[in-house]
């Protein structure tokens, strides 16, 4: 296997054994980027010089005998929604085209403290609104398994970068599925941690009550490793929770005995592709083979999840994005206008169609006279969705089902139909509304060789057990070892 097909854990071991330096590893990934990213278009910006300098610094640190961080010398790609000091952070939006953050997001600071090598910033749907990266103002990322198809979104660049071996690991964000859905479509592992597990400080907010940052990796072991590094309390984020972070990698290979898997009938209804369903059923069989029991559970309010999400998320977005007005933040129009006109023109030029659509929807849902009917009602239904999970988890340890209703779709297939695009998150959205944790792991391929993802959902702050459960399946299968040609 070439260096770039290895996992982060393997790359750490190679360095520790003196078989590869970070300079060699980083060089190999930069070479892949140079050769392949013209097709894949995963990166908004590659920081080759910064990455080489950091790799050299890690190699020197190793030589000196100093203690190295947990991700020492391993390249990582970062979704362009996370602030990186000195490195443009655009949210793939024209309105932030020239934004260079003066500070690092907490997750970035933690990666740097772990001696990771940041190789660049990845493409995404503008402000993380979308499921295909087609809403990026700059480019559409391609699925490494079939470049006619999209990688999913909104963290499509980060997912494609790992799948195409342009970086061994990356970070994304998940507000309604934006880590799990692209992980599923690209055949890799992606986790949406419990709300409050990972600090959101320095993540440019989309919908603050739903947003979480999480890693993309080839396998569950790397995912556990990344989670150990980025999780934990942060005084800069009032919603981050002050509880200890388990040593996820330590317990990972301990099987969960007497495992009860909840299978919600709502996740196997109309709209689910038959090949996807077959792969999920086969994965459940594998768990049964390992002694797990399948339990029927019901999430009766999940039918409302997409509707509730598109009220709550757009309402929060309309408020969060108000700061980009050409005065306080963001692109300012060159056209002559008065104050209000300048706001309007700057925003009209700076925001793409989908972002404008969401701002309008959210503003409407919050406006006086409609707030009770839409926003407050949606919050009540959100509570019912959370209650459904609470009752389901009384009967099971984990819930399983498909991550996405179909494998990767073709570029352009859904871009003119927002509703059908919104439905690609039908199985992922309720997890964010309930604030629980979820992970997507590879569980097979369609006949046309497109990856399929199995979704695991767990009670809040139960990532340690969820990762172990994910690992049980992974240890018995080899989907996670496949790489696209
Ligand atoms: N696809 C969903 C949306 O468009 C979710 C996006 C996300 O999780 N950031 O809002």
């Amino acid at each position: 296997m070439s260096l770039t097909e290895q996992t982060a854990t393997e790359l750490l071991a190679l360095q520790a054994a003196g078989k590869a330096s970070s300079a060699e590893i980083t060089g190999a990934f930069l070479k892949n980027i140079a050769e392949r990213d013209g097709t894949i278009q995963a990166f908004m910006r590659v920081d080759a010089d910064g990455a080489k300098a950091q790799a050299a610094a890690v190699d020197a640190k190793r030589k000196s005998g100093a203690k190295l961080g947990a991700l020492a010398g391993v390249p990582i790609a970062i979704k362009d929604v996370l602030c990186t000091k000195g490195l443009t952070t655009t949210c793939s939006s024209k309105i932030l085209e020239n934004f260079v953050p003066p500070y690092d997001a907490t997750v970035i600071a933690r990666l740097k403290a772990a001696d990771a090598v940041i190789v660049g910033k990845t493409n995404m749907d503008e402000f993380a609104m979308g499921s295909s990266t087609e809403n990026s103002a700059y480019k559409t990322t391609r699925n490494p398994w079939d470049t006619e198809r999209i990688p999913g979104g909104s963290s499509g660049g980060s997912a494609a970068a790992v799948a195409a071996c342009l970086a061994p690991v990356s970070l994304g964000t998940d507000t309604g599925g934006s880590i799990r859905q692209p992980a599923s479509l690209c055949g890799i592992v992606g986790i949406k941690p419990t709300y409050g597990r990972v600090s959101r400080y320095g993540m440019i907010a989309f919908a603050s009550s739903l947003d979480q940052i999480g890693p993309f990796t080839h396998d569950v072991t790397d995912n556990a490793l990344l989670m150990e590094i980025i999780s934990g309390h942060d005084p800069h984020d009032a919603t981050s929770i002050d509880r200890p972070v388990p040593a996820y990698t330590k317990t990972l290979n301990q099987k969960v005995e007497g495992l009860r898997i909840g299978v919600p009938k709502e996740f196997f209804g109309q709209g689910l592709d038959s090949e996807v369903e077959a792969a999920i059923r086969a994965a459940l069989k594998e768990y049964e083979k390992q002694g797990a029991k399948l339990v029927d559970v019901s999430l009766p309010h999940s039918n409302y999840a997409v509707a509730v999400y598109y009220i709550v998320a757009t309402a929060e977005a309309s408020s969060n994005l108000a700061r980009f007005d050409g005065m306080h933040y963001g692109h300012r129009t060159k056209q002559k206008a008065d104050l209000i006109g300048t706001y309007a023109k700057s925003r009209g030029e700076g925001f793409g169609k989908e972002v404008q659509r969401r701002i309008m929807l959210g503003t409407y849902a919050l406006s006086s006279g409609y707030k009770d009917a839409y926003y407050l009602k949606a919050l009540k239904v959100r509570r019912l969705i959370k209650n459904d999970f609470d009752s389901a988890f009384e009967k099971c340890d984990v819930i399983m089902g498909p991550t996405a209703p179909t494998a990767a779709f073709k570029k352009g297939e859904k871009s003119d139909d927002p509703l059908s695009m919104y439905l690609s998150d039908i199985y992922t959205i309720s997890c964010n509304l309930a604030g629980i944790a979820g992970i997507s792991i590879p569980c097979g391929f369609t006949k046309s060789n497109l990856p399929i993802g199995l979704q695991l959902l767990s009670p809040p702050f139960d990532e340690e057990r969820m990762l172990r459960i994910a690992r049980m399946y992974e240890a018995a299968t080899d989907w996670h070892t496949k790489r696209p040609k």
Side-chain angles (χ1 to χ4, degrees), residues 276-339:
V276 173
E277 173 161 9
I280 303 303
R281 300 265 183 218
L284 294 174
K285 280 242 155 58
E286 169 55 40
Y287 276 104
E288 281 186 299
K289 227 172 84 190
Q290 295 192 36
K293 276 213 162 43
L294 303 189
V295 189
D296 288 331
V297 295
S298 178
L299 302 168
H301 297 93
S302 58
N303 284 345
Y304 304 105
V306 172
V308 167
Y309 173 85
Y310 279 96
I311 300 283
V312 174
T314 58
E316 293 184 20
S318 74
S319 154
N320 274 326
L321 269 53
R323 74 191 69 169
F324 304 108
D325 58 11
M327 293 287 177
H328 297 91
Y329 293 99
H331 162 84
R332 182 182 301 174
T333 184
K334 296 210 161 50
Q335 299 181 61
K336 282 210 167 53
D338 60 7
L339 180 67

Side-chain angles (χ1 to χ4, degrees), residues 8 76-77 79 122 151-163 167-174 177-186 188-191 213-219 222-223 226 230 440:
I76 183 165
K79 185 177 183 181
T122 58
S154 64
S155 317
S158 281
V162 172
V169 290
S170 65
L171 288 189
T173 60
D174 190 312
S178 279
I179 293 172
R180 290 159 290 154
Q181 184 256 14
S184 169
L185 271 45
C186 288
I188 58 173
V189 179
I191 189 171
I213 300 166
F216 287 103
T217 57
H218 288 294
D219 68 11
D222 274 7
N223 221 270
L226 267 290
I230 64 169
S440 180

Side-chain angles (χ1 to χ4, degrees), residues 128-131 154 174-178 206 309-310 358 425:
M129 298 174 183
S131 309
S154 64
D174 190 312
T175 305
S178 279
F206 163 12
Y309 173 85
Y310 279 96
R358 303 235 185 158
D425 300 306

Side-chain angles (χ1 to χ4, degrees), residues 79 124-132 135 153-155 173-182 192 203 206-207 210-212 309-310 313-314 354 358 421-425 428-429 432:
K79 185 177 183 181
M124 53 186 279
D125 286 297
E126 185 178 1
F127 283 100
M129 298 174 183
S131 309
S132 67
N135 293 338
S154 64
S155 317
T173 60
D174 190 312
T175 305
S178 279
I179 293 172
R180 290 159 290 154
Q181 184 256 14
K192 199 293 279 185
M203 169 191 174
F206 163 12
L210 302 162
D211 298 337
Q212 270 293 290
Y309 173 85
Y310 279 96
T314 58
E354 180 63 22
R358 303 235 185 158
M421 188 73 90
Y422 294 175
L423 288 173
S424 23
D425 300 306
T428 47
I429 271 174
N432 303 73

